[in-house]
Amino acid sequence: MTYLLALDQGTSSTRSIVFDRMGRIVGLAQREFAQHYPQPGWVEHDATEIWQTQRETMREALHRAGISARDIRAIGITNQRETTVVWDRRTGQPIHNAIVWQDRRAEPTCAELRAQGLESTILQRTGLRVDAYFSATKLKWILDQVPGARARAEAGELLFGTIDSWLIWQLTAGQRHLTDVSNAARTMLMDVHSNTWDAELLGHLDIPAAMMPQILPSSADFGLTAPDILDHAIPISGVAGDQQSALFGQACFRPGMAKNTYGTGCFMLMHTGEQFQVSQNGLVTTSAAQINQQPAYALEGSVFVGGAVVQWLRDGLRAFTRSSDIEAMARSVPDSGGVMFVPAFTGLGAPWWDPDARGTITGLTRGTSMAHIARAALESIAYQSAALLQAMSRDAQAAGAAPLQALRVDGGACVNDLLMQFQADLLGIPVLRPTMVETTALGAAFLAGLQAGVYADLQELESLWRVERQFDPAMPRDQAAERLAQWDRAIRQTVAH
């Protein structure tokens, strides 16, 4: 048997999953790790703890699969994106906690970049909006705030990486300082037309080029693991940021194919092929996972609060004890009774980009129950995702592309049938849930398997993708349009300062 090991390093937990060549899970291990909140709006991780949990879960996953490291053909890595680590080249020790993608401390630097009139330049070169979400301004913050950091970086003593680079460095015992194009595209420092670090942007942020990892395609030779880590050296052959990895794991290889991941937030990506396209509708352009030097792009929209709204009802309002209870509660009423819930706890992401927006619940009457609020909370996930898809459709039409035929879904909340049916109703296209919803890890395994020769080509990977359930739209289109108009009104109330 041929096995592939996927390292899935997420925001709240680290996982390792062993797949067989048919894309089935044969071993899985998971560890949560600490979240650090030094100030409001600041989020940090201990990069050393991330590496420890990754190392532990790798060994445990192999044990659960009943195999040894010699049975693994290749390793694929997928990771939380934008999270920023700076470490000492000689000792391998981080000089500061990792600054997590959600962290907002670098907003003043973003304001300076906007004031300097750099927004258009950054958008055209990187495909990204100027935002504290991306790695560049987090890296500048570390160099500015850690005593002596910039001088050490200029002397070549410090290295920067997103989590993939940090794991590769640890796995190879400091032999390889690399990243892949999909992670590099999230730093706000890579020219997505040439897949190279942009010297001018590095200069604007005073970041020494010597810190930066080498950029490779997502399916490539990232080195061998040090033999002592798993008692056998294994090639690292695939790397991609989590959302691009999920797009790949969903076999969305052709322009116009899209997936939505329903996790803490929601992330929708639509493959746009080899054409770089700046969104006119509030989305970002990102590099998709690339299997060779040929560029591949995707439009991406992010919903900051997706499944997190369910956690808030559970922990904040104590509406139920288990997150899975929300479906039964929401089903106990025929609809939300006119209640609209905009969960803008940390502002609104795409396509609105309003960091100052705050959550609202509108349409309350004496007849409103917790069941109505629960249903409105679930529906808010679908409404926000529908807004992303509408923006993508407008961009696709402007580029002369075919409209989206179906949406592939994954992530924890996609198991909720009520939510998936409502999503199909709003969109007016089928929603396809695959048999394997661990598509993020699967994408990393597929990328590694391609490089290692386990799979011949993309056609073979397409043949492994299977639908578990298809949700077809059942709501009349005029009713769906009225619902979406109601949502737009609720959004306008939320962003009216």
Side-chain angles (χ1 to χ4, degrees), residues 4 34 60 152-153 181 204 218 222 232 240 271 336 346 422:
L4 296 160
E60 193 180 323
R152 291 177 65 199
V181 65
H204 280 302
S218 311
F222 290 87
H232 179 67
H271 206 295
S336 67
T346 54
F422 189 65

Side-chain angles (χ1 to χ4, degrees), residues 158-180:
L158 299 182
L159 300 177
F160 153 76
T162 41
I163 294 295
D164 56 308
S165 299
W166 168 246
L167 292 178
I168 293 165
W169 178 266
Q170 296 296 337
L171 287 163
T172 63
Q175 295 304 299
R176 307 297 291 270
H177 183 218
L178 304 169
T179 189
D180 95 293

Side-chain angles (χ1 to χ4, degrees), residues 120-137:
S120 176
T121 300
I122 288 171
L123 182 64
Q124 293 297 332
R125 291 191 196 170
T126 70
L128 306 178
R129 300 172 66 93
V130 174
D131 197 85
Y133 177 24
F134 305 112
S135 314
T137 54

Side-chain angles (χ1 to χ4, degrees), residues 98-269:
I99 300 182
V100 181
W101 59 273
Q102 299 149 312
D103 189 284
R104 305 304 298 172
R105 76 186 68 183
E107 178 52 39
T109 304
C110 294
E112 285 173 28
L113 293 172
R114 293 184 205 110
Q116 290 165 22
L118 289 169
E119 266 185 298
S120 176
T121 300
I122 288 171
L123 182 64
Q124 293 297 332
R125 291 191 196 170
T126 70
L128 306 178
R129 300 172 66 93
V130 174
D131 197 85
Y133 177 24
F134 305 112
S135 314
T137 54
K138 303 181 198 299
L139 171 53
K140 182 182 189 316
W141 188 94
I142 291 173
L143 293 178
D144 287 343
Q145 299 300 322
V146 176
R150 184 163 269 105
R152 291 177 65 199
E154 285 166 356
E157 295 172 19
L158 299 182
L159 300 177
F160 153 76
T162 41
I163 294 295
D164 56 308
S165 299
W166 168 246
L167 292 178
I168 293 165
W169 178 266
Q170 296 296 337
L171 287 163
T172 63
Q175 295 304 299
R176 307 297 291 270
H177 183 218
L178 304 169
T179 189
D180 95 293
V181 65
S182 71
N183 276 295
R186 309 300 295 182
T187 60
M188 213 168 77
L189 293 167
M190 186 185 86
D191 184 324
V192 293
H193 307 278
S194 62
N195 291 349
T196 56
W197 299 118
D198 188 294
E200 191 181 331
L201 295 180
L202 289 171
H204 280 302
L205 290 156
D206 202 11
I207 294 168
M211 301 184 75
M212 307 303 285
Q214 182 188 349
I215 303 167
L216 297 181
S218 311
S219 188
D221 175 10
F222 290 87
L224 289 169
T225 62
D228 63 327
I229 290 171
L230 289 171
D231 308 319
H232 179 67
I234 304 172
I236 305 165
S237 305
V239 176
D242 53 11
Q243 301 311 321
Q244 291 100 326
S245 190
L247 189 71
F248 201 83
Q250 285 275 31
C252 293
F253 305 138
R254 292 190 298 279
M257 297 181 77
K259 70 89 197 173
N260 196 23
T261 298
Y262 297 80
T264 306
C266 294
F267 297 88
M268 189 179 289
L269 275 74

Side-chain angles (χ1 to χ4, degrees), residues 272-340:
T272 57
E274 297 168 19
Q275 293 307 115
F276 175 81
Q277 179 187 350
V278 171
S279 171
Q280 302 304 313
N281 294 284
L283 306 174
V284 299
T285 306
T286 200
S287 293
Q290 298 176 9
I291 59 171
N292 49 36
Q293 300 296 338
Q294 191 73 46
Y297 301 106
L299 287 171
E300 175 174 332
S302 310
V303 169
F304 293 156
V305 176
V309 72
V310 180
Q311 294 166 331
W312 179 76
L313 284 177
R314 183 193 67 196
D315 303 336
L317 295 191
R318 306 202 184 286
F320 36 78
T321 50
R322 295 191 314 270
S323 292
S324 55
D325 295 340
I326 190 171
E327 183 166 0
M329 182 181 276
R331 279 190 188 279
S332 71
V333 288
D335 53 44
S336 67
V339 175
M340 283 280 162

